[in-house]
């Protein structure tokens, strides 16, 4: 004769899904601390843009960018370089999100997380937010250095260039980093994305004005993911009209990287 324990005494073996899929400020804080402890990451994301601005941009703080002299309130070439370097820091921070996922996949940590109630998408969201916050540190640090060095902009120019460079670069290149993180395991994701960022920055006119490049490079630059973002972010400095194709460039590349990251994410989450 067999007996069945009362329903109230049974132990439920089902995993309870935590609120918001497991998202919490504590988890976000832990992820952000992990990033801040990485000296190599801080060197390339925070220190590198500042050092490059000091070396390249600072000597040009009195050289006008437009027809309006700096003494009369016009932007300087140093301001142009400051915005570019801040964007570079935000881009590098965004792609490190994918690099971190690639390393965790190689170590088996991602597989362990998928066996917990934590929603895999929440894990990606937390890493993305942490990467964006680190990118914000790079932007703010570069802008503070520029302000202390004598770069003069209107409040609207400070805010518009900073927000555009940070948000657009973070959105586009976080998705690129995620796609590479789910496609390439281990350190390979970080190496590939870092090399891609440097190459795209040169081709997209982030480090060198496109007007000084050969004609064929200028044509290629207009099709790179850096081009639209950099033109939008620096538009408040030049005073030139905004080309709708800049936004088309940004949206198209964002859609491509989002689709690629979603496909790679679904493929990876099937491996449990």
């Amino acid at each position: 004769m067999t007996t069945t324990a009362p329903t109230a005494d049974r132990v439920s073996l089902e995993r309870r899904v935590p609120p918001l899929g497991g998202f919490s400020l504590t988890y976000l804080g832990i992820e952000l601390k992990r990033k801040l402890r990485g000296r190599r990451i801080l060197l390339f994301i925070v220190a590198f843009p500042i050092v490059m601005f000091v070396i390249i941009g600072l000597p040009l703080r009195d050289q006008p960018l437009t027809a309006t002299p700096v003494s009369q309130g016009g932007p300087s070439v140093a301001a142009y370089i400051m915005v570019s370097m801040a964007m570079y820091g935000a881009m590098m921070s965004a792609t490190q999100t994918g690099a971190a996922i690639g390393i965790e996949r190689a170590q088996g940590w991602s597989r362990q997380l998928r066996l917990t109630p934590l929603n895999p998408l929440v894990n990606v969201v937390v890493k993305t937010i942490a990467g964006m916050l680190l990118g914000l540190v790079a932007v703010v640090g570069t802008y503070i250095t520029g302000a202390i060095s004598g770069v003069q902009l209107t409040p609207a120019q400070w805010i518009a260039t900073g927000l555009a460079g940070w948000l657009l670069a973070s959105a586009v290149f976080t998705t690129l980093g995620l796609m590479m993180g789910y496609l390439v395991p281990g350190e390979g994701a970080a190496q590939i994305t870092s090399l891609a960022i440097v190459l795209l920055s040169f081709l997209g006119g982030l480090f060198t004005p496109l007007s000084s490049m050969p004609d064929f490079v200028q044509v290629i630059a207009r099709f790179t993911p850096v081009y639209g973002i950099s033109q939008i972010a620096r538009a408040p400095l030049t005073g030139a009209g905004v080309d709708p194709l800049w936004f088309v460039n940004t949206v198209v590349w964002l859609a491509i990287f989002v689709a690629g990251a979603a496909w790679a994410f679904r493929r990876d989450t099937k491996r449990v």
Side-chain angles (χ1 to χ4, degrees):
M1 179 176 180
T2 59
T3 59
T4 303
T7 304
D9 295 334
R10 293 179 181 177
V11 178
S12 175
L13 298 179
E14 296 182 359
R15 296 183 302 177
R16 292 185 177 181
V17 179
L20 301 178
F23 177 86
S24 67
L25 294 179
T26 301
Y27 184 28
L28 176 60
I30 293 174
E31 187 65 32
L32 187 58
K33 289 178 181 179
R34 289 180 57 192
K35 291 183 177 294
L36 292 175
R37 284 199 295 264
R39 296 182 179 180
R40 185 178 61 179
I41 295 178
L42 292 177
L43 177 63
F44 284 99
I45 293 177
V46 180
F48 182 79
I50 295 176
V51 172
M52 291 300 293
F53 165 74
V54 172
I55 295 175
I56 301 175
L58 191 57
L60 303 174
R61 61 184 175 183
D62 295 326
Q63 182 174 336
L65 180 64
T66 62
T68 305
V70 177
S71 59
Q72 298 181 14
S76 64
V77 176
Y80 187 90
I81 297 175
M82 177 189 71
V83 175
S84 298
M85 292 299 102
M87 279 187 55
Y88 182 79
M91 289 160 51
M92 290 297 295
S93 174
T95 54
Q96 287 302 315
T97 300
I101 290 177
I103 294 175
E104 290 182 357
R105 288 178 61 240
Q107 295 175 344
W109 178 241
S110 295
R111 184 178 179 86
Q112 293 296 322
L113 288 177
R114 290 199 297 272
L115 299 177
T116 70
L118 177 66
N119 190 311
L121 184 58
V122 170
N123 183 41
V124 174
V125 170
V126 168
K127 292 184 182 299
T128 300
I129 295 175
M132 291 183 66
L133 292 176
L134 192 59
L136 181 60
V137 173
V139 173
V140 172
T142 305
Y143 272 46
I144 290 177
T145 304
I148 295 175
S149 303
V151 173
Q152 298 181 359
L153 297 174
T154 64
Q157 288 175 326
W158 283 108
I159 296 174
T161 57
L163 285 180
W166 172 54
L167 291 176
L168 294 178
S170 296
V172 174
F173 286 94
T174 292
T175 53
L176 170 62
L178 291 174
M179 183 178 68
M180 296 306 302
Y182 281 113
L183 290 176
V184 183
E187 295 287 347
Q191 296 171 357
I192 293 175
T193 52
S194 297
L195 180 61
I197 292 300
V198 174
L199 180 60
L200 292 173
S201 297
F202 276 107
L203 290 178
L206 191 63
F207 295 151
T208 306
L210 291 178
S211 57
S212 63
M213 296 183 178
D215 293 340
F216 76 94
V217 176
Q218 295 184 35
V219 174
I220 295 175
R222 298 179 186 277
F223 296 93
T224 63
V226 177
Y227 176 78
I229 299 172
S230 60
Q231 296 298 320
I232 294 171
R234 295 183 303 211
L237 300 181
T238 60
V242 177
D243 190 342
L245 291 178
W246 299 346
F247 293 94
V248 173
N249 173 281
T250 302
V251 171
V252 168
W253 278 109
L254 177 61
I256 292 173
F257 292 149
V258 166
W263 171 79
F265 175 77
R266 286 195 299 267
R267 188 190 69 164
D268 187 69
T269 52
K270 293 179 180 178
R271 304 173 181 176
V272 178

